[in-house]
Amino acid sequence: FDVEESQFTKRVLGKVDAMDADFGQNANLTYFIQPPSKDLPFEISPFTGVFSVNGELDREREDKYILTVVARDNGYEKRLSSSVSVEIQVLDVNDNSPQFFNYNELKQWKSPDADKYEAVKMMPVYKATLEENAPIGTTVARVYANDSDFIGNGNGLILYSLPQRKNQLNLFSIDSKEGIVTTIGRLDYENQDVYNVTIIASDLGSPSLSS
C-alpha cells in the first residue's frame, strides 16, 4: 500500500483477502497483525481484513513499514493459519521548510510589517568581512541549508535567492545552487560600512516552502 504522510483517523488503505476451502466454522477466518503492537499506527478488521491507518505517518521518521498479517480459521478441533507480508510505503509531502546551518549566530528579528501580536523570530546570521577595494566577483561568504523532505520529487531540493528591494543598489549576488555570495558592485567604506543582506532558501515542492 502507498499512503502520503499525515495524521489519519481510520483511513482505509485496502483489504487483505484469504480463502479457506473448508466449510462452516472451519472456513470462518480471523485476521490480525503479528506481533501486535500499540506503537504501530495500523489496524486490520478481524472479520473483513480491511487494513487501515489510525495515527500519524511521518516519512522523515519512517518511510516504510513491513508487517505480517495472519489469517486464522476458527476450526473446532484444530485452528490453522497462514501469513502474508504487507508493505506500506509512506509518500513524501512537502511539510518541512529549508533550515540554515553553519551560521555564526542567531538574532531576534521581527518583520517591519508584522502586527504587535506576531511573535519575534530567531534569524540565523552569517558574518563576513571584506576590503572596500575588493574586485567585483569577490566571494563574500557561503550559506548552507538543508531540507529533510525527499529530494527525488523536489520537496528536498533547495534554491537560494536574494530578494530585490526598491531603491537599493544591488551589490551582491548568490549562486542559486551553491549558496555562494559574491560582489557585483564596488563597496565604499565611506558611504556604508555594514551591509545586511537577506538570503532566502526555497524548496522546489508544491507549494514551495522557504526560510
Side-chain angles (χ1 to χ4, degrees):
F1 302 114
D2 291 341
V3 59
E4 68 278 5
E5 58 178 332
S6 186
Q7 179 77 37
F8 297 101
T9 302
K10 296 187 180 299
R11 160 81 176 273
V12 174
L13 299 182
K15 187 177 181 181
V16 178
D17 269 324
M19 296 182 63
D20 193 312
D22 291 318
F23 296 96
Q25 188 71 14
N26 291 337
N28 188 9
L29 301 179
T30 298
Y31 299 90
F32 56 92
I33 297 172
Q34 184 68 35
S37 174
K38 294 182 179 179
D39 296 329
L40 292 175
F42 302 103
E43 56 188 42
I44 189 168
S45 170
F47 306 113
T48 64
V50 171
F51 193 87
S52 58
V53 54
N54 188 33
E56 182 184 15
L57 295 179
D58 186 344
R59 186 190 177 280
E60 286 68 53
R61 289 205 306 260
E62 195 77 42
D63 63 352
K64 182 190 293 185
Y65 296 86
I66 299 177
L67 308 178
T68 299
V69 171
V70 177
R72 185 182 62 198
D73 65 29
N74 291 283
Y76 289 110
E77 297 181 358
K78 185 179 181 181
R79 293 185 176 184
L80 302 177
S81 65
S82 183
S83 62
V84 66
S85 180
V86 176
E87 180 176 308
I88 303 96
Q89 188 76 39
V90 183
L91 305 179
D92 185 54
V93 172
N94 194 27
D95 56 352
N96 293 283
S97 58
Q99 300 296 317
F100 286 97
F101 64 97
N102 279 0
Y103 45 81
N104 296 104
E105 64 176 324
L106 284 172
K107 281 191 174 182
Q108 291 186 342
W109 177 84
K110 190 172 184 179
S111 171
D113 302 324
D115 58 43
K116 62 180 180 180
Y117 300 107
E118 187 170 328
V120 174
K121 298 179 181 179
M122 299 303 294
M123 178 174 287
V125 176
Y126 294 85
K127 293 184 176 181
T129 57
L130 208 62
E131 298 288 340
E132 67 172 331
N133 59 354
I136 293 175
T138 298
T139 297
V140 179
R142 183 175 185 179
V143 300
Y144 301 88
N146 58 19
D147 192 313
S148 55
D149 286 317
F150 183 49
I151 293 178
N153 59 6
N155 290 343
L157 290 176
I158 296 173
L159 292 180
Y160 301 95
S161 62
L162 301 179
Q164 300 299 316
R165 296 180 179 177
K166 293 181 179 179
N167 304 320
Q168 180 175 325
L169 185 63
N170 295 324
L171 297 176
F172 305 95
S173 68
I174 189 168
D175 185 295
S176 62
K177 294 182 180 179
E178 300 297 330
I180 299 174
V181 180
T182 56
T183 60
I184 56 173
R186 297 288 183 182
L187 306 181
D188 188 341
Y189 178 86
E190 283 68 38
N191 287 335
Q192 188 172 346
D193 60 350
V194 176
Y195 294 87
N196 293 314
V197 180
T198 300
I199 298 171
I200 297 176
S202 305
D203 63 34
L204 299 184
S206 180
S208 176
L209 300 178
S210 62
S211 295

